[in-house]
């Protein structure tokens, strides 16, 4: 234990018993300078009593810990779990933080302070998916703590199916010149207000070093506008992945304005856009695709865009035909019922493309 620097422990099935976990804890308590802790527990029905602070004495490693990976999904949110986050405030050298508390159905209060590692923490990955009791104020406190980080490079937050969240205010201004990768999963956050999305888009618009942006807005029923400006990161953004599955209240003019923003991202190598179920899409132009000459992967989903005009679909194929660096192409026009004819030309990509997936299901 005295020379131990990195521990990676995964408990599964019946081995996830409280007794086994406490034995591991006793071993950890004799270590002195741990730099990396990876702890995960699956099949947590076997755990009768879990005190996270006793199991992982974080405060003991406040001067040495750089990587913390903690995955305890579907765990009872007792005092021991909640008190773990108070110990996060003691960590001074943390560089990477991964917390998976998904499906902790009774988790309503969660709060941590990262003030001791403001200048060292570069990578944060927080998974609170299906924490159905999580409320807006506790989340606001978490986001405020993250917002104070000055050297943040990667940020991933998964709030999928947190159905009781109504407000989300994330300020990324302090990381505007450092943040390179942003991944936000808000799928089925059906109660999030329209103002929350406007605030989010305004914050993203400030980012100047962004190379990868992934937003899952699938079935965010209250989102009325897509005011996402990407001009600040146009020189750096190489990957864009936006999922707008059944965001049916976004006006067509807003969707067209968003596509105009995308047209200026000349450094893009990967573009994935999901417009499934957006019946308001009618006459659009994606001729700008031919300008995105660096694209190696393109995925466009117009499944159930039943009003999409045939000339729009043909225009998309015209734009794609000019891309000469494509390696992967996925186009889905399922149930786009106005499509009657198709003459695609992939000659320019014939030497590079290795994956081709075209779907016209229901185009009778």
């Amino acid at each position: 234990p005295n020379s131990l620097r990195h521990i990676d422990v995964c408990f599964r099935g019946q081995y996830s018993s409280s007794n086994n976990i406490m034995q591991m804890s006793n071993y950890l308590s004799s270590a002195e300078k741990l730099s990396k802790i990876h702890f995960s527990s699956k099949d947590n029905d076997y755990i009768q009593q879990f005190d996270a602070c006793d199991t992982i004495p974080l405060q003991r490693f406040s001067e040495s810990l750089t990587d913390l990976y903690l995955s305890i999904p579907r765990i009872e949110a007792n005092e021991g779990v909640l008190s773990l986050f108070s110990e996060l405030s003691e960590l001074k050298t943390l560089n990477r933080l991964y917390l998976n508390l998904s499906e902790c159905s009774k988790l309503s209060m969660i709060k941590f302070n990262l003030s001791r590692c403001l200048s060292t923490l570069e990578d944060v990955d927080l998974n609170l998916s299906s924490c159905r009791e999580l409320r807006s104020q506790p989340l606001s406190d978490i986001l405020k703590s993250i917002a104070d980080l000055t050297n943040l490079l990667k940020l991933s937050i998964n709030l999928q199916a947190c159905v009781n969240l109504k407000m989300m205010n994330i300020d990324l201004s302090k990381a505007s010149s450092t943040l390179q990768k942003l991944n936000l999963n808000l799928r089925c956050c059906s109660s999030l207000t329209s103002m929350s999305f406007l605030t989010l888009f305004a914050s993203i618009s400030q980012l100047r070093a962004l190379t990868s942006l992934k937003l899952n807005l699938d079935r965010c029923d209250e989102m009325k506008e897509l005011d996402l400006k990407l001009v600040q990161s146009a020189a750096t953004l190489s990957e864009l992945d936006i999922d707008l599955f059944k965001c049916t209240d976004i006006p067509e003019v807003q969707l067209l304005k968003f596509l105009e923003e995308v047209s200026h991202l000349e450094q893009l190598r990967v573009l994935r856009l999901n417009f499934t179920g957006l019946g308001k899409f009618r006459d659009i132009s994606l001729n700008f695709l031919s300008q995105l000459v660096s694209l190696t992967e393109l995925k466009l989903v117009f499944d159930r865009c039943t009003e999409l005009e045939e000339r729009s679909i043909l225009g998309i194929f015209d734009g794609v035909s000019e891309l000469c660096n494509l390696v992967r192409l996925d186009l889905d026009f399922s149930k786009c019922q106005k499509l009657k004819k198709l003459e695609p030309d992939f000659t320019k990509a014939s030497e590079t493309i290795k994956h081709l997936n075209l779907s016209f299901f229901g185009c009778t």
Side-chain angles (χ1 to χ4, degrees):
N2 291 335
S3 61
L4 192 64
R5 295 293 179 268
H6 180 189
I7 186 166
D8 193 332
V9 181
C10 179
F11 290 101
R12 296 173 183 266
Q14 62 183 345
Y15 297 102
S16 297
S17 67
S18 300
N19 184 54
N20 282 337
I21 290 177
M22 290 311 297
Q23 287 188 44
M24 189 275 293
S25 173
N26 292 334
Y27 183 79
L28 262 184
S29 64
S30 58
E32 294 183 354
K33 293 185 178 180
L34 273 178
S35 60
K36 297 181 181 180
I37 297 177
H38 286 214
F39 177 87
S40 59
S41 179
K42 300 183 179 181
D43 303 314
N44 289 326
D45 293 339
Y46 287 93
I47 300 179
Q48 301 301 317
Q49 185 176 3
F50 182 82
D51 192 318
C53 286
D54 287 342
T55 304
I56 308 172
L58 293 180
Q59 192 168 354
R60 181 179 179 83
F61 313 116
S62 63
E63 303 281 352
S64 63
L65 194 62
T66 60
D67 289 52
L68 176 60
Y69 178 105
L70 177 62
S71 179
I72 45 174
R74 301 183 304 280
I75 198 86
E76 186 77 17
N78 56 28
E79 290 298 319
V81 174
L82 298 179
S83 59
L84 167 71
F85 299 105
S86 66
E87 293 214 1
L88 282 176
S89 63
E90 301 299 322
L91 302 180
K92 302 174 183 177
T93 57
L94 201 59
N95 183 254
R96 297 180 183 87
L97 174 63
Y98 175 89
L99 296 176
N100 179 7
L101 296 170
S102 59
E103 298 181 69
C104 293
S105 58
K106 295 184 179 180
L107 183 65
S108 58
M109 295 297 296
I110 176 175
K111 186 174 182 179
F112 56 80
N113 188 337
L114 301 172
S115 59
R116 296 287 185 94
C117 52
L118 290 181
S119 61
T120 63
L121 194 53
E122 297 179 350
D123 188 349
V124 176
D125 192 324
L126 182 62
N127 187 349
L128 297 172
S129 61
S130 298
C131 292
R132 295 178 178 272
E133 294 302 316
L134 184 65
R135 307 291 172 168
S136 300
Q137 187 55 52
L139 178 64
S140 178
D141 293 336
I142 295 171
L143 297 178
K144 186 178 185 304
S145 182
I146 292 173
D148 288 333
L149 301 175
T150 56
N151 286 311
L152 192 60
L153 300 178
K154 300 177 183 178
L155 176 60
S156 178
I157 301 177
N158 188 348
L159 298 171
Q160 176 176 317
C162 291
V163 293
N164 281 309
L165 285 179
K166 294 183 178 180
M167 291 296 296
M168 185 188 70
N169 185 4
I170 181 168
D171 181 4
L172 299 172
S173 58
K174 291 185 179 179
S176 61
S177 62
T178 62
L179 191 61
Q180 298 174 5
K181 295 185 177 183
L182 177 61
N183 184 357
L184 297 178
N185 186 352
L186 303 177
R187 183 174 183 265
C188 295
C189 290
S190 54
S191 298
L192 271 180
T193 64
S194 180
M195 181 57 67
S196 294
F197 294 106
L198 291 176
T199 302
L200 171 63
F201 296 149
S203 188
I204 293 174
S205 299
Q206 302 176 53
L207 302 177
R208 302 191 298 272
L210 205 59
T211 61
S212 175
L213 174 61
K214 297 179 181 180
L215 293 178
N216 189 338
L217 305 173
D218 178 345
R219 282 171 283 192
C220 290
D221 298 335
E222 297 298 318
M223 186 169 63
K224 312 298 182 184
E225 298 184 53
L226 187 61
D227 190 18
L228 183 59
K229 296 180 175 63
L230 300 171
V231 63
Q232 290 281 7
S233 53
T236 59
L237 196 62
S238 62
E239 180 180 20
L240 180 64
D241 189 331
I242 309 290
D243 191 335
L244 296 173
F245 182 96
K246 287 194 174 181
C247 294
T248 54
D249 286 339
I250 303 175
E252 185 181 35
V253 65
Q254 287 280 330
L255 294 169
L256 296 176
K257 186 178 178 181
F258 167 67
L259 291 175
E260 175 65 21
E261 286 286 330
V262 176
S263 71
H264 299 297
L265 304 176
E266 297 184 1
Q267 301 303 315
L268 271 185
R269 295 179 62 84
V270 176
L271 176 61
R272 306 184 196 97
L273 302 175
N274 186 355
F275 299 116
T276 296
L278 301 192
K280 294 179 181 179
F281 250 149
R282 295 186 300 275
D283 192 4
I284 65 170
S285 173
L286 287 184
N287 291 331
F288 70 80
L289 284 173
S290 59
Q291 303 172 33
L292 305 180
V293 294
S294 298
L295 277 181
T296 60
E297 180 180 339
L298 176 63
K299 181 176 182 179
L300 301 174
V301 181
F302 292 94
D303 182 10
R304 282 168 278 173
C305 292
T306 54
E307 297 301 312
L308 191 62
E309 296 289 349
E310 182 180 64
R311 61 178 175 270
S312 296
I313 299 175
L314 297 178
I316 292 171
F317 276 97
D318 287 342
V320 171
S321 68
E322 296 297 319
L323 301 176
C324 56
N325 292 306
L326 271 184
V327 176
R328 185 182 185 95
L329 175 62
D330 290 89
L331 298 176
D332 188 345
F333 295 101
S334 298
K335 298 186 180 179
C336 291
Q337 298 169 356
K338 294 192 175 184
L339 180 63
K340 307 297 181 185
K341 65 178 180 178
L342 190 64
E343 298 177 357
D345 180 6
F346 300 129
T347 305
K348 292 190 177 181
S350 61
E351 294 184 2
T352 60
I353 199 160
K354 300 186 184 305
H355 173 96
L356 178 63
N357 182 24
L358 305 177
S359 178
F360 302 99
F361 176 78
C363 296
T364 54

